[in-house]
């Protein structure tokens, strides 16, 4: 077993772009669930929309900033559209509607009717929309090695994506840190506890929930851009499992905390990579085939989610007294 | 919003059970009002007309006309299922009526959302207390304040824009907590308070917005007797400040003791109105109650004479100390 | 979460359900047939199956003039891609076909991304279209991977696994988007009815569980898959007759329901774990189960029976005999469930618990026993639904239930959360919408259409078709 290679791979996950994208998506979900108590089961839909919005407008020749704005606008519109029918209803309706809406985005995106635009089920190739982002890099081309970690400077799965991705994560953390401590955050927390009480105190609960839904969704859309920058836009890889991973990450790190989503994402991807690499290296093909190891990893994720919610719903960073899942 | 009150106005820390002035003023105002359902009041703050609410085939509320006197403590009583809470929900915008209109301080509130009703100065509490259990007591209180610039998403990102107001409402909250004897619990999670303390917290939180009218849904339900007196005192103190109080209550002793006017509902309709002594002797009221549950104690007649009331007041004074002590020792999540 | 609202208090739901059904049919009949022109060449009908695909060059231009040979039980045929890169081949017999792409006919400079996938073997059913894809491009294309095989070599970046929900296979009798005709309308409506009734088997259980415990069970789809997979195992590995296999599947399903409640949900309720928390637990369970199925049975289609279905002609409609039997079994079982809920003591107790658990407990009903019974019943119904659905769709797979879950939720929500009869009506509406939306929108969007209806219903009538307005506070 090549331990040093495994360790490098595993350590690489700590600052991989995927880890950053999931952390960011979980921060968005934290605004929904951790702060406001909204059960958004369609965060992957926001991400996919963001990815499509960015990629399609870039392919159409729009500059980087405009493409990012398009992604943000798509997610904001999607949030508004979902919020209007459901935010006045009970929480489980929002769960069902968001999961359904995310599926609609995926099903429409992969439909052959839109092949021209979305590339149907084979998606949009990474090289068709990466250029504007890569051109924005101040670094020279080529590869760069930092200790054992060697990645290309700008192309695809690069240092440039990592730097931008984690900078955005840091910015989002700062935003949440400010909001959690503000009266705005207090109103959201009140809504999470009992929205009728907050309504009786003269706050427009509907408007606050809408703001939270849109803000978290927009963060999700930016996460979607970061997610697809090192790869391709593939609708089928951004379906329900993705949403469920984001939930696992959020609950692992601790909902309603500032750094919970970031810590959750790092732990999630590092341990998944560790389990899978060790099994790939250590378990003979006759016992478990390569793709079975992959599935075994996901089974572990599912079981982890169950155990977490039952035995440590506040996650790693959460406060037991203020755990973010219903007490009523 | 009793804006005429000076900011930082500190009401008496130990509320007086009955002060002559407030009660006398209201009694004088209501002296010449007829004791018939739907009667007009000299200075009505709430006027409701033809308000009905149906659930499926059942009519929960069918109120022809109702006026609530400004500055008075009005009790809304009636047997279970009489539609009291539903009427509350309708008036405060938490439920939509099948028909009807009503106004508050001359402005129509029909179809106005619950939040806007509250912002216009009519704040309510709930039968099942809605303390926000995973927030601290002081955060609960701050949430009650209105006109907070920091409650806007964009302003919230720039603390200097809202710190001043935050300071202001924190001071206001601390004063109220002292008055409601919750100051020792300032930084505890509201979920750790006893049932009675939650009722107090909910009421104090409602007062943060300096409302013109407070609607209390069964303020005494589930409250430890030791805290009852203190709650009664707070309600009467509200009248002294000129705040209108409308409350739903089952405890007839309390109704008799503090209310200036009583409205009786049965099967969704208003069946009687009048001062407590008269209403409790009213045959229609007795019928309404006896028809529903025979064991209701409509208040002891011995309490009617002045001597008994004085005795009660003396007991109350004595109870204050005990209540305060009990309030601080009462502990633990339920 | 406060549980207000929308509960079934009377038997009035049954006629109302039928009324809704009728209305839905009328509504759908009124939808103008703005159908698009058929894809040239092959229109799938009861006697014809289609194999088709689109071939694009690495830079997403259509590859024109590529020749493909199709060979199988129905003989051999040849197809050539048109100006848009599309090709299609019609076959007249169901079964496995080998599609070979003639690499010499590819545009200059193009090659197959995965030469090992040529020739490909596809399973064709009559009355439906099957895709056979041949992606072009450099074999080690880093940017745009293919979604052909979700189990492809693990990506070191560990992307989420492909979720191929929505492609569970086309039911026998349904056809791809094509021109409008009354015959097609009748064909699609009958498919929709069968699909809806089978879906109802699964949704009624979901609804009963929600009604009695307040839990939205996201792992209910896996109960459906369980039924289908057990039947597949019983028939294919143990050689049992289909009927026996079905019974075994239902018994295993019921047992799993009992075990699940005894092992997970009962203890959680005792610990007073909230329903939101429990709901997230069901999501974890659903993931664990789905990948467990995939772990053991792989990602491909599993056919419970491999024989070609016998077709029966009823007026304008051609339907497989299996579907007819499934419809009959499902109808009898659903009638049995209705009798159980309305006519038996235990059933009435179940509805009482659904109405108001505290009151039911106070009046001497052992709520926990009723809940256990509901789990057993719900899981057994889901397993039966899984077996029949697996037969109807001609194959099952690890994520069949997962793909159907949202349609079940749509059905349950449509009928009013927690109402058993509402779930039945909702399922039939969803079934009709899914199958009949083929007439107006591309068939790969048909599930999306059903989910869109769900959102629209919530917008207009949040309490569901049969629900009542709720009292607040």
């Amino acid at each position: 077993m090549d331990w040093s290679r495994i360790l490098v791979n595993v350590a690489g996950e700590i600052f991989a772009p995927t880890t950053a994208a999931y952390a960011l998506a979980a921060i968005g979900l934290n605004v929904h669930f951790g702060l406001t108590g909204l059960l958004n089961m369609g965060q992957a839909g926001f991400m996919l929309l963001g990815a499509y919005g960015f990629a399609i407008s870039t392919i159409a020749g729009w500059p980087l900033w405009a493409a990012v704005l398009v992604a943000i606008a798509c997610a904001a519109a999607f949030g508004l559209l979902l919020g209007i029918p459901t935010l006045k209803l009970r929480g489980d309706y929002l769960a069902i509607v968001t999961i359904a809406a995310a599926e609609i985005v995926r099903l429409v995106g992969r439909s052959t009717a839109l092949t021209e635009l979305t590339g149907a089920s084979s998606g949009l190739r990474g090289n068709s929309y990466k250029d504007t982002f890569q051109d924005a890099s101040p670094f020279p081309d080529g590869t760069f090695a930092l200790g054992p970690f060697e990645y290309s400077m700008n192309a695809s799965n690069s240092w440039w994506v990592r730097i931008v991705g984690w900078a955005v994560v840091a910015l989002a953390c700062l935003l949440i840190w400010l909001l959690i401590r503000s009266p705005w955050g207090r109103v959201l927390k009140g809504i999470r506890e009992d929205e009728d009480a907050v309504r009786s105190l003269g706050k427009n609960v509907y408007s606050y929930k809408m703001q939270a839904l849109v803000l978290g969704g927009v963060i999700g859309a930016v996460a979607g851009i970061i997610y697809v920058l090192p790869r391709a836009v593939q609708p089928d890889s951004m379906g329900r499992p993705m949403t469920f991973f984001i939930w696992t990450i959020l609950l692992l790190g601790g909902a309603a905390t500032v750094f919970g989503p970031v810590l959750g994402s790092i732990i999630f991807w590092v341990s998944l990579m560790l389990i899978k690499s060790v099994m790939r290296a250590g378990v003979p093909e006759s016992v478990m085939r390569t793709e079975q190891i992959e599935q075994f990893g996901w089974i572990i994720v599912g079981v982890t989610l169950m155990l977490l919610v039952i035995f440590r719903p506040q996650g790693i960073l959460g406060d037991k007294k203020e755990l973010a899942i219903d007490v009523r | 919003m009793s804006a005429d009150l000076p900011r930082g106005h500190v009401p008496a820390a130990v509320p007086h059970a009955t002060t002559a002035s407030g009660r006398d003023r209201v009694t004088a105002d209501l002296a010449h009002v007829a004791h018939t359902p739907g009667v007009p009041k000299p200075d009505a703050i709430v006027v409701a007309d033809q308000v009905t609410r149906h659930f499926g085939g059942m009519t929960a509320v069918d109120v022809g006309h109702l006026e609530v006197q400004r500055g008075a403590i009005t009790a809304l009583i009636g047997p279970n299922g009489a539609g009291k809470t539903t009427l509350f929900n309708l008036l405060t915008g938490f439920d939509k009526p099948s028909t009807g209109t009503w106004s508050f301080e001359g402005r129509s509130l029909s179809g106005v959302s619950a939040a806007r009703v509250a912002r216009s100065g009519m704040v309510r509490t709930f039968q099942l207390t809605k303390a926000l259990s995973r927030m601290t007591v002081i955060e609960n209180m701050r949430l009650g304040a209105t006109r907070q610039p920091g409650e806007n998403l964009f302003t919230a990102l720039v603390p200097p824009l809202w710190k001043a107001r935050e300071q202001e409402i924190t001071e206001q909250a601390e004063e109220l907590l002292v008055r409601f004897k919750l100051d020792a619990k300032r930084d505890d999670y509201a979920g750790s308070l006893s049932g009675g303390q939650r009722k107090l917290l909910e009421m104090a939180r409602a007062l943060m917005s300096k409302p013109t009218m407070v609607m209390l849904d069964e303020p005494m339900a589930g409250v430890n007797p030791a805290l009852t007196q203190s709650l009664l005192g707070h309600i009467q103190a509200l009248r002294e400040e000129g705040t209108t109080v409308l409350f739903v209550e089952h405890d007839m002793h309390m109704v008799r003791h503090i209310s200036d006017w009583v409205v009786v509902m049965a099967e969704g309709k208003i069946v009687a109105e009048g001062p407590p002594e008269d209403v409790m002797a009213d045959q229609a009221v007795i019928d309404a109650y006896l028809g529903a549950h025979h064991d209701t104690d409509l208040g002891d007649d011995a309490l009617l004479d002045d001597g008994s009331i004085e005795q009660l007041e003396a007991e109350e004074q004595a109870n204050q100390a005990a209540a305060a002590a009990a309030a601080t020792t009462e502990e633990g999540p339920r | 979460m406060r549980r207000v609202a929308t509960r079934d208090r009377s038997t009035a739901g049954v006629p109302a359900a039928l009324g809704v059904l009728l209305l839905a049919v009328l509504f759908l009949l009124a939808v103008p047939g703005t159908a698009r022109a058929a894809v040239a060449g092959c229109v799938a009908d009861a006697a014809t199956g289609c194999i088709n695909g689109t071939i694009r060059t690495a830079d997403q231009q259509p590859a024109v003039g590529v020749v493909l040979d199709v060979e199988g039980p129905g003989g051999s045929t040849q197809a050539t891609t048109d100006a848009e890169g599309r090709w299609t081949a019609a076959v007249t017999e169901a079964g496995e076909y080998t599609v070979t792409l003639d690499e010499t006919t590819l545009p200059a400079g193009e090659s197959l991304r995965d030469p090992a996938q040529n020739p490909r073997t596809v399973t064709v059913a009559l009355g439906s279209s099957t895709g056979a894809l041949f992606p072009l491009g450099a074999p080690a294309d880093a940017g745009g991977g293919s979604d052909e095989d979700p189990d492809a070599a693990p990506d070191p970046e560990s992307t989420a696994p492909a979720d191929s929900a929505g492609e569970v296979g086309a039911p026998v009798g349904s056809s791809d988007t094509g021109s409008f005709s009354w015959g097609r309308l009748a064909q699609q409506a009958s498919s929709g009815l069968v699909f809806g009734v089978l879906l109802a088997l699964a949704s009624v259980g979901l609804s009963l569980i929600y009604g009695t415990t307040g839990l939205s069970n996201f792992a209910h789809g896996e109960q459906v898959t369980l039924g289908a997979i057990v039947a597949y195992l019983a028939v294919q590995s143990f050689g049992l007759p289909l009927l026996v296999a079905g019974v075994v599947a239902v018994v295993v399903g019921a047992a799993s329901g009992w075990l699940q409640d005894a092992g997970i949900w009962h203890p959680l309720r005792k610990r007073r774990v909230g329903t939101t928390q429990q709901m997230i637990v069901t999501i974890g369970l659903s993931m664990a189960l789905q990948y467990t199925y995939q772990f053991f049975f792989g990602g491909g289609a599993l056919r419970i029976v491999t024989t070609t279905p016998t077709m029966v002609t009823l007026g304008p409609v051609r339907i497989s005999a299996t579907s007819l039997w499934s419809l009959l079994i499902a109808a009898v079982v659903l009638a049995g469930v209705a009798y159980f809920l309305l006519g038996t003591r235990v059933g009435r107790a179940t509805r009482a618990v659904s109405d108001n658990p505290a009151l039911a407990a106070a009046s001497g009903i052992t709520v926990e026993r009723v809940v256990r019974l509901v789990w057993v019943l719900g899981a057994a119904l889901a397993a039966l639904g899984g077996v029949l659905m697996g037969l109807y769709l001609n194959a099952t797979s690890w994520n069949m239930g997962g793909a159907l879950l949202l349609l079940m939720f749509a059905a349950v929500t449509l009928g009013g959360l927690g109402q058993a009869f509402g779930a039945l009506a909702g399922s039939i509406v969803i079934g009709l919408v899914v199958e009949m939306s083929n007439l107006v929108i591309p068939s790969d969007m048909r599930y999306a259409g059903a989910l869109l209806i769900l959102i629209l219903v919530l917008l207009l009538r949040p309490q569901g078709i049969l629900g009542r307005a709720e009292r607040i506070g």
Side-chain angles (χ1 to χ4, degrees):
Chain A
M1 208 183 293
D2 183 0
W3 278 105
S4 63
R5 208 182 65 86
I6 290 179
L7 279 180
V8 168
N9 271 349
V10 168
E13 285 294 294
I14 295 177
F15 58 99
T18 308
T19 311
Y22 270 90
L24 199 57
I27 290 172
L29 185 64
N30 197 18
V31 175
H32 296 148
F33 179 70
L35 300 193
T36 327
L38 298 175
L39 291 170
N40 172 17
M41 289 289 161
Q43 187 69 341
F46 283 100
M47 292 175 75
L48 182 56
L49 259 184
Y52 272 138
F54 175 78
I56 292 173
S57 46
T58 305
I59 291 170
W62 293 31
L64 182 63
W65 59 270
V68 172
L69 278 186
V70 167
I72 288 175
C74 284
F78 189 57
L80 283 174
L81 218 62
L82 288 185
I84 290 168
T86 48
L87 288 181
K88 284 188 174 161
L89 306 174
R90 273 180 316 182
D92 24 4
Y93 280 116
L94 183 69
I96 293 170
V97 166
T98 44
I99 199 172
E103 281 294 278
I104 292 178
V105 172
R106 188 176 70 83
L107 289 172
V108 170
R110 74 192 304 287
S111 167
T112 46
L114 292 178
T115 310
E116 300 295 317
L117 208 58
T118 62
S121 63
S122 41
L124 297 167
R125 288 158 40 80
N127 291 336
S128 58
Y129 58 80
K130 282 175 188 166
D131 291 345
T132 56
F133 175 75
Q134 286 168 12
D135 292 346
S137 165
F139 304 113
D141 284 345
T143 61
F144 174 74
L146 186 78
F149 304 110
E150 184 175 351
Y151 306 104
S152 74
M153 204 62 234
N154 298 320
S156 236
N157 184 11
S158 61
W159 286 107
W160 176 230
V161 174
R162 282 172 172 75
I163 291 165
V164 171
W166 285 102
V168 174
V169 168
L171 234 114
C173 282
L174 177 72
L175 182 81
I176 300 303
W177 185 82
L178 280 171
L179 288 177
I180 254 181
R181 273 157 187 75
S182 74
W184 187 81
R186 181 162 64 218
V187 178
L188 293 196
K189 240 187 219 182
I191 292 171
R192 184 189 73 189
E193 296 296 300
D194 191 325
E195 57 173 86
D196 277 342
V198 176
R199 202 170 278 133
S200 79
L201 297 173
K203 322 284 177 200
N204 187 346
V205 169
Y206 184 62
S207 153
Y208 279 101
K209 283 163 116 179
M210 189 65 96
Q211 291 169 29
L213 186 66
V214 169
L215 177 65
V218 164
I219 297 178
V222 178
I225 300 176
I226 294 172
Y227 181 76
V228 297
L229 276 176
R231 49 171 73 75
V233 182
Q234 277 182 302
D236 288 339
S237 69
M238 298 174 84
R240 265 183 287 167
M242 183 180 228
T243 300
F244 298 160
F245 296 164
I246 299 170
W247 272 90
T248 311
I249 285 170
L250 178 64
L251 294 172
L252 185 67
T257 62
V258 175
F259 295 107
V262 180
L263 186 68
S265 183
I266 292 175
I267 293 178
F268 182 91
W269 290 112
V270 163
S271 31
L272 202 62
M273 178 56 105
L274 184 70
I275 292 169
K276 286 197 290 200
S277 332
V278 168
M279 285 183 75
R280 250 179 242 141
V283 178
E285 190 79 353
S286 56
V287 178
M288 222 185 262
R289 294 190 308 277
T290 321
E291 75 263 21
Q292 283 186 316
I293 291 175
E294 198 71 11
Q295 286 140 18
F296 187 75
W298 304 131
I299 295 174
I300 291 180
V301 172
V303 174
T304 310
L305 179 59
M306 288 170 73
L307 296 179
L308 253 180
V309 176
I310 298 172
F311 296 107
R312 203 176 160 84
Q314 76 272 31
I316 295 169
L317 295 182
D319 179 348
K320 178 80 182 163
K321 276 194 232 156
E322 209 213 323
L323 48 100
I325 303 173
D326 62 7
V327 285
R328 266 161 283 143
Chain B
M1 272 165 280
S2 43
D4 49 339
L5 275 179
R7 200 171 293 274
H9 160 84
V10 192
V14 179
H16 297 289
T18 40
T19 321
S21 63
R23 180 153 218 169
D24 291 350
R25 168 176 50 79
V26 175
T27 313
D29 283 347
L30 292 172
H32 305 292
V33 175
H35 302 172
T36 51
V39 66
K41 308 287 183 319
D43 184 11
I45 187 164
V46 171
V47 181
D49 276 300
Q50 308 301 331
V51 176
T52 63
R53 177 70 169 100
H54 307 284
F55 291 112
M58 192 192 77
T59 303
V61 166
D62 180 8
V63 169
H65 185 80
L66 172 68
E67 295 187 5
V68 178
Q69 171 72 9
R70 183 189 306 275
I73 299 180
T74 305
L76 185 59
I77 64 168
N80 285 329
K84 305 180 296 288
T85 296
T86 309
L87 180 61
F88 248 55
N89 286 345
L90 292 173
L91 291 181
T92 50
F94 276 83
D95 194 3
K96 297 262 172 289
S98 309
T99 67
T101 57
W102 64 99
S103 67
F104 173 66
E105 293 199 290
R107 278 166 301 171
S108 171
L109 283 188
S110 327
V112 172
S113 75
R116 293 188 59 182
V117 170
R119 282 201 295 271
S120 72
M122 187 201 271
V123 174
R124 71 171 293 183
T125 66
F126 295 86
Q127 187 176 340
L128 298 168
T129 333
K130 292 187 186 295
L132 306 167
S133 24
R134 288 172 301 171
M135 292 169 73
T136 60
V137 168
I138 187 75
E139 285 282 87
N140 260 278
M141 294 295 288
R142 286 182 184 133
L143 192 56
T146 49
R147 288 177 285 108
Q148 298 190 47
E151 286 184 352
N152 177 296
L153 173 55
F154 299 103
T155 325
L157 295 173
V158 192
L161 293 177
W162 49 265
K163 279 291 185 206
R165 174 71 179 145
E166 186 82 352
Q167 190 61 38
E168 210 172 275
I169 62 174
T170 306
E171 278 164 20
Q172 188 197 346
E174 280 163 350
E175 281 157 13
L176 275 167
L177 286 180
V178 170
R179 177 169 148 197
F180 280 78
K181 299 198 184 65
L182 286 169
D183 46 331
K185 301 275 174 193
R186 185 185 188 274
D187 296 312
D188 290 4
Y189 281 107
S192 71
L193 301 181
S194 74
Q197 288 171 328
R198 289 184 203 203
K199 286 266 180 199
L200 285 174
L201 172 60
E202 199 182 11
M203 209 158 127
R205 190 178 65 196
L207 297 182
M208 281 297 289
S209 65
K210 301 180 177 162
T212 338
M213 179 167 176
V214 181
M215 316 256 294
L216 307 170
D217 197 349
E218 302 205 16
M220 294 298 157
V223 175
N224 181 327
L227 281 179
T228 312
Q229 292 302 339
S230 142
L231 257 170
L232 284 180
H234 292 311
I235 296 174
Q236 283 165 315
L238 285 175
R239 175 176 58 197
E240 299 316 312
E241 293 161 16
T243 310
T244 310
V245 178
L246 177 67
F247 71 102
V248 169
E249 190 49 67
H250 278 301
D251 182 339
M252 290 305 151
H253 295 290
M254 173 190 169
V255 170
R256 185 184 287 271
H257 186 53
I258 66 165
S259 56
D260 303 311
W261 194 260
V262 177
V263 175
V264 188
M265 282 184 81
E267 291 168 355
K269 294 187 168 62
I270 292 173
V271 294
E273 261 191 63
E277 299 78 17
D278 291 20
V279 161
M280 304 229 174
D282 189 325
Q283 194 55 41
V285 178
I286 294 167
D287 286 349
Y289 267 89
L290 294 186
H293 45 148
H294 293 255
D295 53 348
T296 306
D297 179 3
L298 287 184
D300 195 329
D301 271 338
L303 284 172
L304 268 179
D305 59 83
D306 290 349
S308 304
I309 290 175
E310 274 161 24
Q311 190 195 334
L312 201 77
E313 280 165 19
E315 275 172 24
E316 204 176 292
Q317 298 287 349
N319 281 342
Q320 287 294 335
T328 46
T329 50
E330 245 181 285
E331 258 318 325
R334 292 185 302 162
Chain C
M1 201 167 299
R2 190 162 25 93
R3 293 184 56 220
V4 259
T6 64
R7 280 161 186 149
D8 180 32
R9 279 194 188 77
S10 68
T11 55
V14 182
L18 296 175
V20 166
L21 181 60
L22 195 67
L23 271 178
V25 173
L26 288 176
F27 169 74
L28 288 167
L29 286 177
V31 172
T34 53
R36 309 178 335 152
V39 179
C42 176
V43 175
D45 64 28
T48 320
C50 300
I51 312 174
N52 54 33
T54 304
I55 298 179
R56 286 172 188 281
T57 60
D59 47 359
Q60 298 297 305
Q61 296 306 310
V64 187
V66 182
V67 177
L68 300 105
D69 284 300
V70 178
E71 210 170 334
S76 64
T77 172
Q78 204 170 61
T80 311
T81 55
D82 62 14
E84 288 165 341
R86 288 190 211 152
W87 62 273
T88 173
V91 297
T92 50
E93 209 170 313
E96 299 223 315
Y97 284 80
T98 312
V99 185
T100 314
L101 183 145
D102 187 352
E103 290 192 53
T104 57
T105 58
L106 286 173
E110 293 293 338
S111 61
L112 283 172
R113 190 185 294 164
D114 187 359
Q117 290 281 356
N118 185 30
R120 291 184 69 96
T121 306
V122 293
T123 305
V124 183
L126 294 185
S128 70
S129 297
T130 312
L133 303 180
F134 292 92
L136 304 183
D141 188 325
S146 150
D147 76 323
E148 286 269 13
D149 186 358
D151 310 322
D155 174 359
E157 245 343 281
S158 300
T159 57
D163 174 7
S164 42
E167 322 155 58
V168 210
V172 180
S174 99
S175 56
D176 209 341
T177 315
S179 57
F180 178 84
S181 77
W182 288 104
R184 267 202 72 194
L185 184 84
Q187 182 69 46
Q188 294 306 104
S190 65
S191 298
L193 189 68
V194 177
F195 186 66
V197 168
L198 299 189
L199 190 68
L201 282 175
S203 351
V204 166
L206 186 68
S207 174
L208 280 173
I209 291 170
Y210 180 86
T212 47
T213 62
L215 176 65
S216 303
N217 181 16
F218 279 74
H220 203 69
E222 279 55 60
Q223 296 298 128
V224 176
T225 315
L226 179 74
I229 284 189
V230 168
Y232 163 80
L233 271 185
V235 172
Q236 297 297 338
S237 303
F238 296 96
L240 296 177
L242 182 59
L243 208 61
V244 181
V247 173
V248 170
V250 171
V251 170
V252 171
S256 79
W258 191 92
L259 273 176
Q260 239 191 71
D261 188 49
I264 306 178
W265 311 115
H266 175 71
L268 287 190
R269 286 193 298 274
K270 266 181 93 174
R271 279 175 63 117
R272 302 202 164 273
V273 173
T275 48
T276 307
Q277 225 166 321
Q278 287 188 34
M279 186 184 93
I280 302 173
V281 175
T282 66
I283 289 175
L285 181 65
S286 151
M287 265 171 75
L289 287 177
Q290 268 195 24
Y291 290 109
T292 307
Y293 296 148
Q294 203 190 3
F295 185 88
F296 289 110
F297 302 99
L302 310 169
R303 297 192 64 189
I304 299 172
V305 288
T306 37
T307 51
T308 314
T310 332
M311 300 306 284
V312 184
T313 311
L314 297 170
V317 177
R318 273 174 68 87
I319 189 168
S320 74
T322 328
S323 294
L324 273 183
W325 279 110
S326 300
L327 188 63
L328 188 68
I329 293 171
V332 169
V333 168
L334 287 171
V337 172
Y339 171 75
F340 165 79
L341 287 177
L342 300 175
T344 65
R345 231 183 95 74
V346 196
R348 282 196 297 268
T350 308
R351 293 197 305 136
V353 172
S354 244
D355 253 13
N356 187 339
L359 187 63
S363 48
I365 295 170
T366 327
V367 174
E368 280 303 313
R369 254 169 57 195
V370 168
V371 169
R372 181 68 50 87
L373 180 75
V374 162
W375 269 100
V376 172
L377 182 69
L381 285 174
L384 178 65
V387 177
L388 299 181
M389 197 64 94
L391 292 172
Y392 171 70
L393 297 176
N394 228 1
T396 182
S397 68
W398 62 284
N399 67 353
M400 177 178 84
L404 292 173
L405 179 75
L406 286 181
L407 296 185
M408 290 188 243
F409 267 124
V412 169
T413 312
L414 216 54
L417 283 179
Q419 300 194 46
F421 295 110
L424 173 59
S427 300
I428 292 173
V429 172
I430 292 292
L432 289 171
V433 168
V434 165
E435 293 300 341
M436 295 178 74
S437 59
N438 272 11
L439 300 171
V440 276
I441 57 173
S443 69
D444 55 2
M445 281 201 217
R446 58 204 177 116
Y447 282 12
L451 297 178
L452 191 66
I453 298 267
L454 160 73
I455 295 176
L456 290 179
V457 166
L458 278 179
L459 186 60
L460 301 173
R461 197 174 157 79
Q463 67 272 42
I465 311 172
L466 298 183
R468 289 209 200 92
E470 49 194 56
R471 185 193 141 146
I472 304 164

